[in-house]
Structures are given as C-alpha cells and as structure tokens.
Amino acid sequence: MKAIFINHCHPKINHVCGVRAGRFAEIMAVRGHKIMLLTQTLADKNDSFPPPELERRLAAHDWQRPFQLSCLPSGDFDAIQARQGALPAGRQQLAVLWSFIKHGGMFPDWQTGVVPYISGLAKVFRPDVVWGTFGNTDTWRLCQQLAGQANCPWIGDLKDNWQAFIPRGLQTLLAGRFKDTAGMTVFSSAHYDQADAVFPNIMKTVLYSGVDMETSATGPADGFQLMLTGSIYDQEALVSLTRAVDEWSHARPEKNVIFRYAGNDGEIFKACAKGTSFSSRIEGFLGHAELHHLQSAAAANLYIYNPRCLLHYKALELIAQGRPVIAFPGETPEVKSLASNAGAVFFTCDGKEPVMQALDMIADTPTPPVRPDRLRDFTWERRTKVLESVLEHAVSRARQQS
C-alpha cells in the first residue's frame, strides 16, 4: 500500500502524542508499505520544505523508512491565542466556537500550513488510503481533504477522549462532519464504547499502541526503588499517595525507600515529597531508553490514574516492564484484564491502606519472571498487523466499489 498517516505531533516531540503514529509508520514501512507521515514541524526546528520540492524528494526517498513531511503552521488566528488562554473570557468562548465551526478545529494555522501540499500529494504520491489520529479534529479535516483529492478512503483513529476534547455543544455537530470515514481504529475498548455512541454506523477496530521491548526487567536496584511516571493530573491524589508511601517508609526504615519521579510535573512532586521519610529524586522528562531502564530496575512502578484518559498508554508500558505496578487511585476493568493476561503483578489502590498492603507484598514476595510469550501481543509489530489489516480492508473495499 501507499498510505499517508496524519498526526499533529511530530514523532520527535518530547510528548507521548508523537509516539503512536510515528511507531506505526516505522513498522508499516519495514513491512514493505510506502508510508508518509505528515505532521507539524517541531517547535524549535523547522524541518519543512517548499511544496515544489515534493516530487523530487519522493523520487529520492528510501521507502524502508517513512517519508517525514513536516508542515509549518501559518496564519494569524484568534484560535492561537485561545489555545493559550490569552483572550478575555467572553472572547475566548467565541474564538473557540468560531474556530470549530468555520475551520473544523482549534489548529487552523496547522491546517493552513498543510493545504499547499495536498494537491501535490494527491497527484504525485497518490495514496491508496489516509489514516489520521484524533488528538484534534483538524487532523480528520485534513484527512478528508486529502482523501477527497486522491479519491481514496480515509480511516479515523480515535486515540483521545472525544467528550473531553470537544466542547459539549459541538460534539454531535462535529461528529456528523466525519461520517464519510471508511472506518475507525480506536485506542481501547473504552474508546470503542464512546465512539459507538458518537459514530454509530462506522465500523471500528480496537488498536492498542505497542510497546518498545528494548529494555528487559533487570530486578530492583539498590534500596527499595519506587518509580512514579507521567502526568500528575490530580495533586490531591499525589498527596494521598506520597503520604501512604511516607507512612510505609517510616514503618520499614530498613528498606531505604527511594521514590523517583519522571515527567513534567516535578515541582508538584517536589512539594508533595517535602518532609517525608523517603528519599526523593526528580528525573524530569526522560527519553524512552533511560526511562525504561529506571522502570525495569524499580521495585514497583506507580502512576496516577485519570479517568478522562480512558486508557493510559503508560499503563501498557509499565505492564510490559515486568515489574509490579501500582495504579492510584484506581483503574478500569480493561487495564486490569490486560495486566492479568500479561501475567503482571498489578495493584489498583484507592487509599493509604491498600498502597501499604501492596508495598508489603512487593517487598516480601519475589516478583515472578516475565514470560515473553505473554507479552508478545504488546509489541509494536503485533499491533501493527491489526492496523495493516484495517487499512488493507478499506483499500480493497474501495477498489471493489470503484
């Protein structure tokens, strides 16, 4: 196949939003497909090129890897200031409403940067299918435009919470604009249920993101290392969690608890860890290799559960690390099932006592070794086969109908 993947986030951005589309594009290319990954440029690096260069660059490209097409945002829109919360309250709401109704999303500047390439992509690259990830509706609008000019199907990928990302009064209206999608991939069963209510007549397939397995579990490092990963979301939840760890650490001083945090909310963690009996370490935002090394060496990995996410990608990553996991203050039945199927030691704790009990069990009971065969379904390679099948089906059906 020749396919164009559209995702707002560049694959090299220091954020999880760039991972899913980027890794699927890489594996699809390895599997012999010609894949273009269309994204916005990085904030600190303009790796775009003028549209007239497209044909020459396509001809010279090594298709064993995706063709990266980065588009520089362009134009002056109220939506830019609205995204930054820089407008007065009344004007802010009008700017959001106007941007969604007129431009189809909150990133019209990115759409403007992409539009000059669409005609050339349709005529020169001639994709068989377009696949676009919803982090925003601008991506799906671009999918429609490109697929329309190329006369090919497009597939919508719902990786984020539609109800959380789209203003309540616009959810039905905007959903109606994307009825022409040839199918949908959804990030989890929870996303499937949400999509079924919003897009009832569209065929959907659950497509979990994969996990990089380059770091195997190495066992605990010196001391009793706890590793908290990712966004905090709820500071009160973190306060409760650190109090539980503090009380357990105080009760078991021989364990020498070292509580690490990796993510962008280091100042919040620092404030919550002040005056506790454990040693705290703030790692900041880490690259995958370094992060996975710390996670695989931890006595336990922890994260703050946020129901708005429907499914946390980091939950999949932590399950695959082979170390015990504590989700606080809870988790969904879907994630618990995934953990159970993988043979993971997985605790969902909703208060101090469950956390302390979990830490007792982790400290006193050796963690069983991970069975690689039970983690096979977590790999990017296995997940990519699902996406490949969805795209091939859409292409085949479109050819039969033409």
Side-chain angles (χ1 to χ4, degrees):
M1 286 179 292
K2 290 190 293 184
I4 296 179
F5 290 4
I6 305 180
N7 184 47
H8 191 184
C9 295
H10 195 287
K12 293 183 179 179
I13 193 173
N14 286 332
H15 193 278
V16 70
C17 68
V19 173
R20 180 174 169 90
R23 292 295 282 124
F24 277 133
E26 289 174 2
I27 305 300
M28 285 285 288
V30 169
R31 292 181 64 80
H33 304 287
K34 291 184 176 180
I35 305 297
M36 173 176 290
L37 179 60
L38 191 161
T39 72
Q40 183 174 295
T41 53
L42 290 167
D44 58 349
K45 181 181 179 181
N46 181 7
D47 58 340
S48 64
F49 58 82
E53 291 188 19
L54 179 63
E55 186 169 4
R56 176 184 64 81
R57 288 179 179 248
L58 286 172
H61 185 66
D62 175 7
W63 290 101
Q64 295 181 70
R65 55 187 175 83
F67 184 103
Q68 175 66 42
L69 176 56
S70 305
C71 301
L72 185 68
S74 176
D76 182 19
F77 298 91
D78 281 350
I80 299 173
Q81 290 184 289
R83 294 196 306 258
Q84 300 167 349
L87 298 176
R91 189 177 169 194
Q92 173 91 5
Q93 294 171 338
L94 286 174
V96 170
L97 179 64
W98 177 250
S99 190
F100 272 112
I101 291 177
K102 178 174 175 57
H103 303 293
M106 283 299 297
F107 294 86
D109 47 327
W110 181 52
Q111 291 189 51
T112 301
V114 173
V115 166
Y117 296 89
I118 288 180
S119 177
L121 290 171
K123 294 176 182 177
V124 179
F125 185 64
R126 292 178 307 204
D128 297 307
V129 64
V130 179
W131 179 73
T133 295
F134 169 76
N136 55 57
T137 49
D138 305 79
T139 297
W140 285 1
R141 192 170 192 227
L142 291 168
C143 285
Q144 284 182 312
Q145 295 177 43
L146 181 50
Q149 290 205 31
N151 193 30
C152 73
W154 72 278
I155 302 291
D157 178 50
L158 189 74
K159 78 170 180 65
D160 285 312
N161 186 332
W162 179 267
Q163 294 177 358
F165 277 58
I166 305 300
R168 185 184 300 271
L170 296 175
Q171 290 174 10
T172 302
L173 172 66
L174 289 173
R177 293 183 178 181
F178 301 115
K179 292 186 295 185
D180 61 329
T181 182
M184 295 184 75
T185 53
V186 293
F187 185 44
S188 71
S189 295
H191 288 79
Y192 189 107
D193 292 341
Q194 186 182 90
D196 230 19
V198 181
F199 305 94
N201 299 315
I202 296 173
M203 182 171 19
K204 306 164 193 73
T205 303
V206 174
L207 176 65
Y208 295 114
S209 288
V211 174
D212 289 309
M213 301 289 188
E214 76 276 8
T215 304
S216 60
T218 60
D222 293 338
F224 192 79
Q225 303 248 5
L226 301 178
M227 185 76 185
L228 178 67
T229 299
S231 297
I232 299 303
Y233 303 113
D234 181 354
Q235 187 167 342
E236 288 303 312
L238 180 60
V239 168
S240 298
L241 178 60
T242 52
R243 285 176 179 171
V245 174
D246 179 37
E247 187 166 332
W248 188 85
S249 174
H250 184 75
R252 302 193 63 171
E254 78 281 1
K255 287 301 180 182
N256 184 27
V257 175
I258 301 170
F259 200 179
R260 298 179 182 272
Y261 170 72
N264 293 321
D265 295 327
E267 289 303 312
I268 298 176
F269 180 80
K270 181 179 179 180
C272 292
K274 187 176 181 180
T276 54
S277 58
F278 55 77
S279 298
S280 60
R281 304 281 190 275
I282 299 174
E283 305 295 340
F285 189 92
L286 300 176
H288 272 89
E290 189 176 1
L291 178 62
H292 288 183
H293 174 74
L294 290 174
Q295 290 169 341
S296 67
N301 286 295
L302 301 88
Y303 67 95
I304 302 295
Y305 164 67
N306 178 8
R308 285 167 58 92
C309 292
L310 300 184
L311 184 141
H312 289 279
Y313 175 60
K314 58 178 165 276
L316 303 179
E317 291 188 299
L318 295 179
I319 290 169
Q321 285 299 324
R323 305 303 304 151
V325 179
I326 296 176
F328 187 88
E331 250 303 353
T332 64
E334 179 178 12
V335 171
K336 294 177 187 178
S337 177
L338 289 168
S340 177
N341 292 339
V345 178
F346 192 89
F347 300 91
T348 55
C349 303
D350 60 0
K352 181 183 69 175
E353 292 302 324
V355 170
M356 296 179 69
Q357 291 170 8
L359 293 175
D360 276 334
M361 293 179 64
I362 293 166
D364 299 335
T365 307
T367 302
V370 177
R371 286 176 45 185
D373 59 303
R374 298 186 72 170
L375 291 175
R376 196 170 295 127
D377 283 343
F378 280 70
T379 65
W380 283 107
E381 289 76 13
R382 184 63 64 91
R383 302 302 192 199
T384 300
K385 290 182 181 180
V386 177
L387 175 59
E388 182 182 50
S389 177
V390 170
L391 298 181
E392 287 178 340
H393 178 73
V395 171
S396 176
R397 189 170 56 182
R399 287 173 177 168
Q400 291 173 3
Q401 293 173 350
S402 62

